[in-house]
PDB file of all heavy atoms in Angstrom:
ATOM      1  N   GLN Z 667       1.289 -12.396  -8.925  1.00 87.00           N
ATOM      2  CA  GLN Z 667       1.177 -12.961  -7.584  1.00 87.00           C
ATOM      3  C   GLN Z 667      -0.280 -13.077  -7.183  1.00 87.00           C
ATOM      4  O   GLN Z 667      -0.702 -14.053  -6.601  1.00 87.00           O
ATOM      5  CB  GLN Z 667       1.860 -12.015  -6.589  1.00 87.00           C
ATOM      6  CG  GLN Z 667       3.318 -11.787  -6.861  1.00 87.00           C
ATOM      7  CD  GLN Z 667       4.162 -12.551  -5.898  1.00 87.00           C
ATOM      8  OE1 GLN Z 667       3.838 -12.637  -4.727  1.00 87.00           O
ATOM      9  NE2 GLN Z 667       5.234 -13.131  -6.373  1.00 87.00           N
ATOM     10  N   ASN Z 668      -1.019 -12.021  -7.461  1.00 92.00           N
ATOM     11  CA  ASN Z 668      -2.431 -11.950  -7.098  1.00 92.00           C
ATOM     12  C   ASN Z 668      -3.215 -11.425  -8.290  1.00 92.00           C
ATOM     13  O   ASN Z 668      -3.565 -10.242  -8.344  1.00 92.00           O
ATOM     14  CB  ASN Z 668      -2.628 -11.016  -5.892  1.00 92.00           C
ATOM     15  CG  ASN Z 668      -2.024 -11.580  -4.630  1.00 92.00           C
ATOM     16  OD1 ASN Z 668      -2.535 -12.555  -4.070  1.00 92.00           O
ATOM     17  ND2 ASN Z 668      -0.921 -11.002  -4.188  1.00 92.00           N
ATOM     18  N   MET Z 670      -6.110 -11.507  -9.216  1.00 93.00           N
ATOM     19  CA  MET Z 670      -7.398 -10.866  -8.940  1.00 93.00           C
ATOM     20  C   MET Z 670      -7.201  -9.360  -8.717  1.00 93.00           C
ATOM     21  O   MET Z 670      -8.087  -8.560  -8.979  1.00 93.00           O
ATOM     22  CB  MET Z 670      -7.988 -11.523  -7.700  1.00 93.00           C
ATOM     23  CG  MET Z 670      -9.478 -11.382  -7.539  1.00 93.00           C
ATOM     24  SD  MET Z 670      -9.847 -10.043  -6.422  1.00 93.00           S
ATOM     25  CE  MET Z 670     -11.117  -9.223  -7.316  1.00 93.00           C
ATOM     26  N   LEU Z 671      -6.037  -9.006  -8.201  1.00 95.00           N
ATOM     27  CA  LEU Z 671      -5.748  -7.603  -7.875  1.00 95.00           C
ATOM     28  C   LEU Z 671      -4.755  -7.022  -8.870  1.00 95.00           C
ATOM     29  O   LEU Z 671      -4.054  -6.068  -8.574  1.00 95.00           O
ATOM     30  CB  LEU Z 671      -5.142  -7.510  -6.471  1.00 95.00           C
ATOM     31  CG  LEU Z 671      -5.883  -8.210  -5.335  1.00 95.00           C
ATOM     32  CD1 LEU Z 671      -5.057  -8.135  -4.056  1.00 95.00           C
ATOM     33  CD2 LEU Z 671      -7.232  -7.560  -5.116  1.00 95.00           C
ATOM     34  N   ARG Z 677      -7.550  -1.283 -16.203  1.00 96.00           N
ATOM     35  CA  ARG Z 677      -6.095  -1.085 -16.125  1.00 96.00           C
ATOM     36  C   ARG Z 677      -5.431  -1.492 -17.439  1.00 96.00           C
ATOM     37  O   ARG Z 677      -4.389  -0.955 -17.809  1.00 96.00           O
ATOM     38  CB  ARG Z 677      -5.517  -1.909 -14.970  1.00 96.00           C
ATOM     39  CG  ARG Z 677      -6.019  -1.406 -13.639  1.00 96.00           C
ATOM     40  CD  ARG Z 677      -5.759  -2.373 -12.510  1.00 96.00           C
ATOM     41  NE  ARG Z 677      -6.520  -1.942 -11.339  1.00 96.00           N
ATOM     42  CZ  ARG Z 677      -6.695  -2.655 -10.243  1.00 96.00           C
ATOM     43  NH1 ARG Z 677      -6.150  -3.857 -10.155  1.00 96.00           N
ATOM     44  NH2 ARG Z 677      -7.402  -2.193  -9.249  1.00 96.00           N
ATOM     45  N   VAL Z 680      -5.561   1.495 -19.655  1.00 95.00           N
ATOM     46  CA  VAL Z 680      -4.595   2.547 -19.358  1.00 95.00           C
ATOM     47  C   VAL Z 680      -3.257   2.224 -20.024  1.00 95.00           C
ATOM     48  O   VAL Z 680      -2.596   3.103 -20.555  1.00 95.00           O
ATOM     49  CB  VAL Z 680      -4.433   2.742 -17.834  1.00 95.00           C
ATOM     50  CG1 VAL Z 680      -3.291   3.689 -17.507  1.00 95.00           C
ATOM     51  CG2 VAL Z 680      -5.736   3.260 -17.247  1.00 95.00           C
ATOM     52  N   GLU Z 721      -9.266   7.815 -13.473  1.00 97.00           N
ATOM     53  CA  GLU Z 721      -9.132   6.581 -14.261  1.00 97.00           C
ATOM     54  C   GLU Z 721     -10.405   6.380 -15.088  1.00 97.00           C
ATOM     55  O   GLU Z 721     -10.366   6.038 -16.266  1.00 97.00           O
ATOM     56  CB  GLU Z 721      -8.932   5.429 -13.276  1.00 97.00           C
ATOM     57  CG  GLU Z 721      -8.756   4.071 -13.888  1.00 97.00           C
ATOM     58  CD  GLU Z 721      -8.795   3.007 -12.795  1.00 97.00           C
ATOM     59  OE1 GLU Z 721      -9.725   3.040 -11.957  1.00 97.00           O
ATOM     60  OE2 GLU Z 721      -7.903   2.144 -12.793  1.00 97.00           O
ATOM     61  N   ARG Z 756     -13.170   1.302  -3.375  1.00 98.00           N
ATOM     62  CA  ARG Z 756     -12.894   2.710  -3.591  1.00 98.00           C
ATOM     63  C   ARG Z 756     -13.879   3.346  -4.572  1.00 98.00           C
ATOM     64  O   ARG Z 756     -14.204   4.525  -4.474  1.00 98.00           O
ATOM     65  CB  ARG Z 756     -11.463   2.888  -4.107  1.00 98.00           C
ATOM     66  CG  ARG Z 756     -10.957   4.301  -3.970  1.00 98.00           C
ATOM     67  CD  ARG Z 756      -9.486   4.388  -4.345  1.00 98.00           C
ATOM     68  NE  ARG Z 756      -8.947   5.705  -4.039  1.00 98.00           N
ATOM     69  CZ  ARG Z 756      -9.140   6.766  -4.798  1.00 98.00           C
ATOM     70  NH1 ARG Z 756      -9.835   6.656  -5.905  1.00 98.00           N
ATOM     71  NH2 ARG Z 756      -8.632   7.946  -4.458  1.00 98.00           N
ATOM     72  N   VAL Z 782     -14.152  -6.584  -0.235  1.00 98.00           N
ATOM     73  CA  VAL Z 782     -14.659  -6.108   1.053  1.00 98.00           C
ATOM     74  C   VAL Z 782     -14.292  -7.111   2.151  1.00 98.00           C
ATOM     75  O   VAL Z 782     -14.003  -6.741   3.277  1.00 98.00           O
ATOM     76  CB  VAL Z 782     -16.180  -5.878   0.986  1.00 98.00           C
ATOM     77  CG1 VAL Z 782     -16.760  -5.651   2.375  1.00 98.00           C
ATOM     78  CG2 VAL Z 782     -16.482  -4.674   0.103  1.00 98.00           C
ATOM     79  N   TYR Z 783     -14.257  -8.390   1.793  1.00 97.00           N
ATOM     80  CA  TYR Z 783     -13.902  -9.444   2.757  1.00 97.00           C
ATOM     81  C   TYR Z 783     -12.406  -9.776   2.735  1.00 97.00           C
ATOM     82  O   TYR Z 783     -11.926 -10.531   3.568  1.00 97.00           O
ATOM     83  CB  TYR Z 783     -14.671 -10.723   2.424  1.00 97.00           C
ATOM     84  CG  TYR Z 783     -15.797 -11.057   3.377  1.00 97.00           C
ATOM     85  CD1 TYR Z 783     -17.119 -10.918   2.999  1.00 97.00           C
ATOM     86  CD2 TYR Z 783     -15.530 -11.515   4.666  1.00 97.00           C
ATOM     87  CE1 TYR Z 783     -18.154 -11.217   3.855  1.00 97.00           C
ATOM     88  CE2 TYR Z 783     -16.557 -11.816   5.536  1.00 97.00           C
ATOM     89  CZ  TYR Z 783     -17.863 -11.671   5.130  1.00 97.00           C
ATOM     90  OH  TYR Z 783     -18.880 -11.974   5.994  1.00 97.00           O
ATOM     91  N   GLY Z 784     -11.692  -9.276   1.718  1.00 97.00           N
ATOM     92  CA  GLY Z 784     -10.286  -9.655   1.576  1.00 97.00           C
ATOM     93  C   GLY Z 784     -10.142 -11.150   1.399  1.00 97.00           C
ATOM     94  O   GLY Z 784      -9.249 -11.784   1.941  1.00 97.00           O
ATOM     95  N   SER Z 786     -10.359 -14.507  -1.300  1.00 91.00           N
ATOM     96  CA  SER Z 786     -10.345 -15.004  -2.666  1.00 91.00           C
ATOM     97  C   SER Z 786     -11.359 -16.127  -2.819  1.00 91.00           C
ATOM     98  O   SER Z 786     -11.290 -17.139  -2.123  1.00 91.00           O
ATOM     99  CB  SER Z 786      -8.949 -15.531  -3.000  1.00 91.00           C
ATOM    100  OG  SER Z 786      -8.994 -16.357  -4.126  1.00 91.00           O
ATOM    101  N   ASP Z 789      -9.801 -19.454  -3.506  1.00 85.00           N
ATOM    102  CA  ASP Z 789      -8.994 -20.097  -2.474  1.00 85.00           C
ATOM    103  C   ASP Z 789      -9.770 -20.398  -1.197  1.00 85.00           C
ATOM    104  O   ASP Z 789      -9.301 -21.137  -0.347  1.00 85.00           O
ATOM    105  CB  ASP Z 789      -7.788 -19.203  -2.134  1.00 85.00           C
ATOM    106  CG  ASP Z 789      -6.909 -18.951  -3.354  1.00 85.00           C
ATOM    107  OD1 ASP Z 789      -6.582 -19.944  -4.036  1.00 85.00           O
ATOM    108  OD2 ASP Z 789      -6.577 -17.803  -3.632  1.00 85.00           O
ATOM    109  N   TYR Z 797     -15.800 -21.804   8.573  1.00 92.00           N
ATOM    110  CA  TYR Z 797     -16.399 -20.587   9.119  1.00 92.00           C
ATOM    111  C   TYR Z 797     -17.888 -20.780   9.333  1.00 92.00           C
ATOM    112  O   TYR Z 797     -18.449 -20.307  10.310  1.00 92.00           O
ATOM    113  CB  TYR Z 797     -16.168 -19.413   8.155  1.00 92.00           C
ATOM    114  CG  TYR Z 797     -14.910 -18.658   8.456  1.00 92.00           C
ATOM    115  CD1 TYR Z 797     -13.661 -19.188   8.155  1.00 92.00           C
ATOM    116  CD2 TYR Z 797     -14.956 -17.423   9.089  1.00 92.00           C
ATOM    117  CE1 TYR Z 797     -12.498 -18.506   8.449  1.00 92.00           C
ATOM    118  CE2 TYR Z 797     -13.798 -16.731   9.388  1.00 92.00           C
ATOM    119  CZ  TYR Z 797     -12.576 -17.275   9.062  1.00 92.00           C
ATOM    120  OH  TYR Z 797     -11.434 -16.597   9.377  1.00 92.00           O
ATOM    121  N   LYS Z 800     -18.446 -23.220  12.227  1.00 87.00           N
ATOM    122  CA  LYS Z 800     -18.220 -22.624  13.542  1.00 87.00           C
ATOM    123  C   LYS Z 800     -19.092 -21.392  13.740  1.00 87.00           C
ATOM    124  O   LYS Z 800     -18.894 -20.649  14.709  1.00 87.00           O
ATOM    125  CB  LYS Z 800     -16.739 -22.263  13.697  1.00 87.00           C
ATOM    126  CG  LYS Z 800     -15.835 -23.487  13.767  1.00 87.00           C
ATOM    127  CD  LYS Z 800     -14.382 -23.148  14.040  1.00 87.00           C
ATOM    128  CE  LYS Z 800     -13.563 -24.433  14.181  1.00 87.00           C
ATOM    129  NZ  LYS Z 800     -12.134 -24.210  14.287  1.00 87.00           N
ATOM    130  N   ASP Z 812     -23.687 -10.281   1.383  1.00 97.00           N
ATOM    131  CA  ASP Z 812     -23.409  -9.958   2.781  1.00 97.00           C
ATOM    132  C   ASP Z 812     -23.906  -8.535   3.025  1.00 97.00           C
ATOM    133  O   ASP Z 812     -23.235  -7.564   2.709  1.00 97.00           O
ATOM    134  CB  ASP Z 812     -21.891 -10.061   2.987  1.00 97.00           C
ATOM    135  CG  ASP Z 812     -21.400  -9.246   4.173  1.00 97.00           C
ATOM    136  OD1 ASP Z 812     -22.022  -9.345   5.244  1.00 97.00           O
ATOM    137  OD2 ASP Z 812     -20.398  -8.506   4.015  1.00 97.00           O
ATOM    138  N   GLU Z 818     -23.393  -2.623   2.659  1.00 98.00           N
ATOM    139  CA  GLU Z 818     -23.215  -1.211   3.005  1.00 98.00           C
ATOM    140  C   GLU Z 818     -22.393  -0.480   1.952  1.00 98.00           C
ATOM    141  O   GLU Z 818     -22.671   0.678   1.632  1.00 98.00           O
ATOM    142  CB  GLU Z 818     -22.563  -1.050   4.387  1.00 98.00           C
ATOM    143  CG  GLU Z 818     -22.458   0.425   4.736  1.00 98.00           C
ATOM    144  CD  GLU Z 818     -21.989   0.736   6.141  1.00 98.00           C
ATOM    145  OE1 GLU Z 818     -21.712  -0.194   6.904  1.00 98.00           O
ATOM    146  OE2 GLU Z 818     -21.917   1.938   6.454  1.00 98.00           O
ATOM    147  N   ARG Z 826     -24.281   7.885  -3.140  1.00 98.00           N
ATOM    148  CA  ARG Z 826     -23.392   8.939  -3.640  1.00 98.00           C
ATOM    149  C   ARG Z 826     -23.570   9.143  -5.133  1.00 98.00           C
ATOM    150  O   ARG Z 826     -23.501  10.264  -5.624  1.00 98.00           O
ATOM    151  CB  ARG Z 826     -21.941   8.609  -3.299  1.00 98.00           C
ATOM    152  CG  ARG Z 826     -21.733   8.621  -1.796  1.00 98.00           C
ATOM    153  CD  ARG Z 826     -20.282   8.417  -1.387  1.00 98.00           C
ATOM    154  NE  ARG Z 826     -20.235   8.408   0.074  1.00 98.00           N
ATOM    155  CZ  ARG Z 826     -19.137   8.285   0.795  1.00 98.00           C
ATOM    156  NH1 ARG Z 826     -17.966   8.158   0.185  1.00 98.00           N
ATOM    157  NH2 ARG Z 826     -19.190   8.286   2.105  1.00 98.00           N
TER     158      ARG Z 826
ATOM    159  N   GLN B 685      -4.296 -19.185  -5.554  1.00 87.00           N
ATOM    160  CA  GLN B 685      -4.439 -18.317  -6.723  1.00 87.00           C
ATOM    161  C   GLN B 685      -4.130 -16.880  -6.351  1.00 87.00           C
ATOM    162  O   GLN B 685      -3.466 -16.173  -7.078  1.00 87.00           O
ATOM    163  CB  GLN B 685      -5.889 -18.366  -7.214  1.00 87.00           C
ATOM    164  CG  GLN B 685      -6.360 -19.730  -7.608  1.00 87.00           C
ATOM    165  CD  GLN B 685      -6.442 -19.851  -9.082  1.00 87.00           C
ATOM    166  OE1 GLN B 685      -6.870 -18.927  -9.751  1.00 87.00           O
ATOM    167  NE2 GLN B 685      -6.021 -20.961  -9.621  1.00 87.00           N
ATOM    168  N   ASN B 686      -4.658 -16.468  -5.224  1.00 92.00           N
ATOM    169  CA  ASN B 686      -4.488 -15.097  -4.759  1.00 92.00           C
ATOM    170  C   ASN B 686      -4.137 -15.132  -3.275  1.00 92.00           C
ATOM    171  O   ASN B 686      -4.990 -14.897  -2.423  1.00 92.00           O
ATOM    172  CB  ASN B 686      -5.779 -14.298  -4.965  1.00 92.00           C
ATOM    173  CG  ASN B 686      -6.089 -14.075  -6.426  1.00 92.00           C
ATOM    174  OD1 ASN B 686      -5.425 -13.295  -7.103  1.00 92.00           O
ATOM    175  ND2 ASN B 686      -7.093 -14.776  -6.928  1.00 92.00           N
ATOM    176  N   MET B 688      -2.800 -13.248  -1.307  1.00 93.00           N
ATOM    177  CA  MET B 688      -3.092 -12.053  -0.518  1.00 93.00           C
ATOM    178  C   MET B 688      -4.511 -12.131   0.070  1.00 93.00           C
ATOM    179  O   MET B 688      -4.797 -11.563   1.111  1.00 93.00           O
ATOM    180  CB  MET B 688      -2.972 -10.838  -1.458  1.00 93.00           C
ATOM    181  CG  MET B 688      -2.742  -9.517  -0.755  1.00 93.00           C
ATOM    182  SD  MET B 688      -4.260  -8.623  -0.541  1.00 93.00           S
ATOM    183  CE  MET B 688      -4.129  -8.141   1.150  1.00 93.00           C
ATOM    184  N   LEU B 689      -5.387 -12.829  -0.646  1.00 95.00           N
ATOM    185  CA  LEU B 689      -6.782 -12.951  -0.225  1.00 95.00           C
ATOM    186  C   LEU B 689      -7.063 -14.354   0.297  1.00 95.00           C
ATOM    187  O   LEU B 689      -8.209 -14.806   0.282  1.00 95.00           O
ATOM    188  CB  LEU B 689      -7.708 -12.669  -1.420  1.00 95.00           C
ATOM    189  CG  LEU B 689      -7.464 -11.383  -2.199  1.00 95.00           C
ATOM    190  CD1 LEU B 689      -8.377 -11.331  -3.421  1.00 95.00           C
ATOM    191  CD2 LEU B 689      -7.730 -10.175  -1.330  1.00 95.00           C
ATOM    192  N   ARG B 695      -7.519 -16.338   9.800  1.00 96.00           N
ATOM    193  CA  ARG B 695      -8.132 -17.503   9.159  1.00 96.00           C
ATOM    194  C   ARG B 695      -7.349 -18.771   9.512  1.00 96.00           C
ATOM    195  O   ARG B 695      -7.915 -19.863   9.563  1.00 96.00           O
ATOM    196  CB  ARG B 695      -8.155 -17.306   7.648  1.00 96.00           C
ATOM    197  CG  ARG B 695      -9.071 -16.157   7.269  1.00 96.00           C
ATOM    198  CD  ARG B 695      -8.894 -15.705   5.838  1.00 96.00           C
ATOM    199  NE  ARG B 695      -9.605 -14.446   5.653  1.00 96.00           N
ATOM    200  CZ  ARG B 695      -9.483 -13.649   4.611  1.00 96.00           C
ATOM    201  NH1 ARG B 695      -8.647 -13.979   3.636  1.00 96.00           N
ATOM    202  NH2 ARG B 695     -10.164 -12.522   4.537  1.00 96.00           N
ATOM    203  N   VAL B 698      -8.720 -20.013  12.734  1.00 95.00           N
ATOM    204  CA  VAL B 698     -10.007 -20.697  12.656  1.00 95.00           C
ATOM    205  C   VAL B 698      -9.803 -22.164  12.279  1.00 95.00           C
ATOM    206  O   VAL B 698     -10.458 -23.052  12.813  1.00 95.00           O
ATOM    207  CB  VAL B 698     -10.945 -19.979  11.658  1.00 95.00           C
ATOM    208  CG1 VAL B 698     -12.211 -20.787  11.412  1.00 95.00           C
ATOM    209  CG2 VAL B 698     -11.301 -18.588  12.180  1.00 95.00           C
ATOM    210  N   GLU B 739     -15.883 -13.735  13.848  1.00 97.00           N
ATOM    211  CA  GLU B 739     -14.524 -14.230  13.641  1.00 97.00           C
ATOM    212  C   GLU B 739     -13.601 -13.629  14.692  1.00 97.00           C
ATOM    213  O   GLU B 739     -12.758 -14.312  15.275  1.00 97.00           O
ATOM    214  CB  GLU B 739     -14.094 -13.812  12.234  1.00 97.00           C
ATOM    215  CG  GLU B 739     -12.730 -14.253  11.807  1.00 97.00           C
ATOM    216  CD  GLU B 739     -12.344 -13.573  10.503  1.00 97.00           C
ATOM    217  OE1 GLU B 739     -12.506 -12.337  10.392  1.00 97.00           O
ATOM    218  OE2 GLU B 739     -11.907 -14.282   9.577  1.00 97.00           O
ATOM    219  N   ARG B 774     -14.212  -4.616   5.266  1.00 98.00           N
ATOM    220  CA  ARG B 774     -15.363  -5.010   6.060  1.00 98.00           C
ATOM    221  C   ARG B 774     -15.135  -4.769   7.553  1.00 98.00           C
ATOM    222  O   ARG B 774     -16.078  -4.473   8.298  1.00 98.00           O
ATOM    223  CB  ARG B 774     -15.671  -6.494   5.816  1.00 98.00           C
ATOM    224  CG  ARG B 774     -17.070  -6.898   6.271  1.00 98.00           C
ATOM    225  CD  ARG B 774     -17.383  -8.317   5.849  1.00 98.00           C
ATOM    226  NE  ARG B 774     -18.758  -8.647   6.157  1.00 98.00           N
ATOM    227  CZ  ARG B 774     -19.203  -8.965   7.366  1.00 98.00           C
ATOM    228  NH1 ARG B 774     -18.366  -8.974   8.383  1.00 98.00           N
ATOM    229  NH2 ARG B 774     -20.477  -9.256   7.542  1.00 98.00           N
ATOM    230  N   VAL B 800      -8.905  -1.754  -0.788  1.00 98.00           N
ATOM    231  CA  VAL B 800      -9.772  -0.621  -1.158  1.00 98.00           C
ATOM    232  C   VAL B 800      -9.572  -0.277  -2.630  1.00 98.00           C
ATOM    233  O   VAL B 800     -10.507   0.100  -3.327  1.00 98.00           O
ATOM    234  CB  VAL B 800      -9.497   0.594  -0.249  1.00 98.00           C
ATOM    235  CG1 VAL B 800     -10.187   1.836  -0.782  1.00 98.00           C
ATOM    236  CG2 VAL B 800      -9.979   0.303   1.162  1.00 98.00           C
ATOM    237  N   TYR B 801      -8.350  -0.456  -3.110  1.00 97.00           N
ATOM    238  CA  TYR B 801      -8.034  -0.184  -4.514  1.00 97.00           C
ATOM    239  C   TYR B 801      -8.180  -1.421  -5.398  1.00 97.00           C
ATOM    240  O   TYR B 801      -8.098  -1.325  -6.614  1.00 97.00           O
ATOM    241  CB  TYR B 801      -6.593   0.318  -4.628  1.00 97.00           C
ATOM    242  CG  TYR B 801      -6.455   1.788  -4.926  1.00 97.00           C
ATOM    243  CD1 TYR B 801      -6.012   2.668  -3.964  1.00 97.00           C
ATOM    244  CD2 TYR B 801      -6.773   2.306  -6.190  1.00 97.00           C
ATOM    245  CE1 TYR B 801      -5.887   4.024  -4.224  1.00 97.00           C
ATOM    246  CE2 TYR B 801      -6.641   3.653  -6.462  1.00 97.00           C
ATOM    247  CZ  TYR B 801      -6.189   4.512  -5.477  1.00 97.00           C
ATOM    248  OH  TYR B 801      -6.071   5.838  -5.752  1.00 97.00           O
ATOM    249  N   GLY B 802      -8.309  -2.594  -4.781  1.00 97.00           N
ATOM    250  CA  GLY B 802      -8.321  -3.820  -5.576  1.00 97.00           C
ATOM    251  C   GLY B 802      -7.028  -3.991  -6.348  1.00 97.00           C
ATOM    252  O   GLY B 802      -7.033  -4.406  -7.504  1.00 97.00           O
ATOM    253  N   SER B 804      -2.897  -5.188  -6.294  1.00 91.00           N
ATOM    254  CA  SER B 804      -1.836  -5.946  -5.644  1.00 91.00           C
ATOM    255  C   SER B 804      -0.543  -5.147  -5.684  1.00 91.00           C
ATOM    256  O   SER B 804      -0.062  -4.770  -6.746  1.00 91.00           O
ATOM    257  CB  SER B 804      -1.645  -7.273  -6.376  1.00 91.00           C
ATOM    258  OG  SER B 804      -0.401  -7.831  -6.048  1.00 91.00           O
ATOM    259  N   ASP B 807       2.101  -6.696  -7.815  1.00 85.00           N
ATOM    260  CA  ASP B 807       1.909  -6.768  -9.260  1.00 85.00           C
ATOM    261  C   ASP B 807       1.767  -5.401  -9.919  1.00 85.00           C
ATOM    262  O   ASP B 807       1.835  -5.279 -11.135  1.00 85.00           O
ATOM    263  CB  ASP B 807       0.666  -7.608  -9.570  1.00 85.00           C
ATOM    264  CG  ASP B 807       0.794  -9.026  -9.019  1.00 85.00           C
ATOM    265  OD1 ASP B 807       1.849  -9.639  -9.258  1.00 85.00           O
ATOM    266  OD2 ASP B 807      -0.131  -9.502  -8.354  1.00 85.00           O
ATOM    267  N   TYR B 815      -0.050   5.105 -14.418  1.00 92.00           N
ATOM    268  CA  TYR B 815      -1.149   5.868 -13.828  1.00 92.00           C
ATOM    269  C   TYR B 815      -0.665   7.236 -13.371  1.00 92.00           C
ATOM    270  O   TYR B 815      -1.348   8.235 -13.531  1.00 92.00           O
ATOM    271  CB  TYR B 815      -1.736   5.107 -12.634  1.00 92.00           C
ATOM    272  CG  TYR B 815      -2.863   4.194 -13.028  1.00 92.00           C
ATOM    273  CD1 TYR B 815      -2.613   3.024 -13.718  1.00 92.00           C
ATOM    274  CD2 TYR B 815      -4.178   4.527 -12.743  1.00 92.00           C
ATOM    275  CE1 TYR B 815      -3.646   2.190 -14.097  1.00 92.00           C
ATOM    276  CE2 TYR B 815      -5.220   3.705 -13.114  1.00 92.00           C
ATOM    277  CZ  TYR B 815      -4.960   2.535 -13.790  1.00 92.00           C
ATOM    278  OH  TYR B 815      -5.988   1.724 -14.170  1.00 92.00           O
ATOM    279  N   LYS B 818       0.149   9.376 -16.436  1.00 87.00           N
ATOM    280  CA  LYS B 818      -1.045   9.903 -17.097  1.00 87.00           C
ATOM    281  C   LYS B 818      -1.917  10.704 -16.130  1.00 87.00           C
ATOM    282  O   LYS B 818      -3.034  11.063 -16.458  1.00 87.00           O
ATOM    283  CB  LYS B 818      -1.856   8.755 -17.707  1.00 87.00           C
ATOM    284  CG  LYS B 818      -1.140   8.089 -18.881  1.00 87.00           C
ATOM    285  CD  LYS B 818      -1.975   7.012 -19.565  1.00 87.00           C
ATOM    286  CE  LYS B 818      -1.191   6.459 -20.766  1.00 87.00           C
ATOM    287  NZ  LYS B 818      -1.845   5.342 -21.426  1.00 87.00           N
ATOM    288  N   ASP B 830      -3.898   7.202   0.644  1.00 97.00           N
ATOM    289  CA  ASP B 830      -4.915   7.742  -0.257  1.00 97.00           C
ATOM    290  C   ASP B 830      -6.077   8.241   0.608  1.00 97.00           C
ATOM    291  O   ASP B 830      -6.921   7.465   1.029  1.00 97.00           O
ATOM    292  CB  ASP B 830      -5.359   6.607  -1.193  1.00 97.00           C
ATOM    293  CG  ASP B 830      -6.740   6.834  -1.771  1.00 97.00           C
ATOM    294  OD1 ASP B 830      -7.011   7.943  -2.242  1.00 97.00           O
ATOM    295  OD2 ASP B 830      -7.552   5.874  -1.738  1.00 97.00           O
ATOM    296  N   GLU B 836     -10.961   7.372   3.899  1.00 98.00           N
ATOM    297  CA  GLU B 836     -12.351   7.363   4.357  1.00 98.00           C
ATOM    298  C   GLU B 836     -12.678   6.068   5.096  1.00 98.00           C
ATOM    299  O   GLU B 836     -13.411   6.075   6.086  1.00 98.00           O
ATOM    300  CB  GLU B 836     -13.329   7.580   3.197  1.00 98.00           C
ATOM    301  CG  GLU B 836     -14.748   7.633   3.738  1.00 98.00           C
ATOM    302  CD  GLU B 836     -15.815   8.041   2.740  1.00 98.00           C
ATOM    303  OE1 GLU B 836     -15.486   8.270   1.561  1.00 98.00           O
ATOM    304  OE2 GLU B 836     -16.984   8.117   3.157  1.00 98.00           O
ATOM    305  N   ARG B 844     -16.652   4.476  14.112  1.00 98.00           N
ATOM    306  CA  ARG B 844     -17.538   3.421  14.613  1.00 98.00           C
ATOM    307  C   ARG B 844     -16.933   2.726  15.825  1.00 98.00           C
ATOM    308  O   ARG B 844     -17.646   2.358  16.749  1.00 98.00           O
ATOM    309  CB  ARG B 844     -17.829   2.416  13.500  1.00 98.00           C
ATOM    310  CG  ARG B 844     -18.615   3.081  12.382  1.00 98.00           C
ATOM    311  CD  ARG B 844     -19.052   2.128  11.295  1.00 98.00           C
ATOM    312  NE  ARG B 844     -19.763   2.911  10.275  1.00 98.00           N
ATOM    313  CZ  ARG B 844     -20.332   2.406   9.201  1.00 98.00           C
ATOM    314  NH1 ARG B 844     -20.291   1.110   8.977  1.00 98.00           N
ATOM    315  NH2 ARG B 844     -20.947   3.189   8.341  1.00 98.00           N
TER     316      ARG B 844
END
Side-chain angles (χ1 to χ4, degrees):
Chain Z
Q667 300 256 321
N668 292 289
M670 201 262 134
L671 309 174
R677 294 166 192 169
V680 172
E721 181 189 49
R756 197 173 188 281
V782 169
Y783 253 108
S786 163
D789 300 311
Y797 269 74
K800 292 185 177 173
D812 157 47
E818 183 173 1
R826 295 185 182 182
Chain B
Q685 300 254 320
N686 292 288
M688 201 263 133
L689 309 175
R695 294 167 191 168
V698 172
E739 181 190 48
R774 197 173 186 282
V800 169
Y801 253 108
S804 162
D807 301 312
Y815 269 73
K818 292 184 177 175
D830 157 47
E836 183 172 2
R844 295 185 181 183

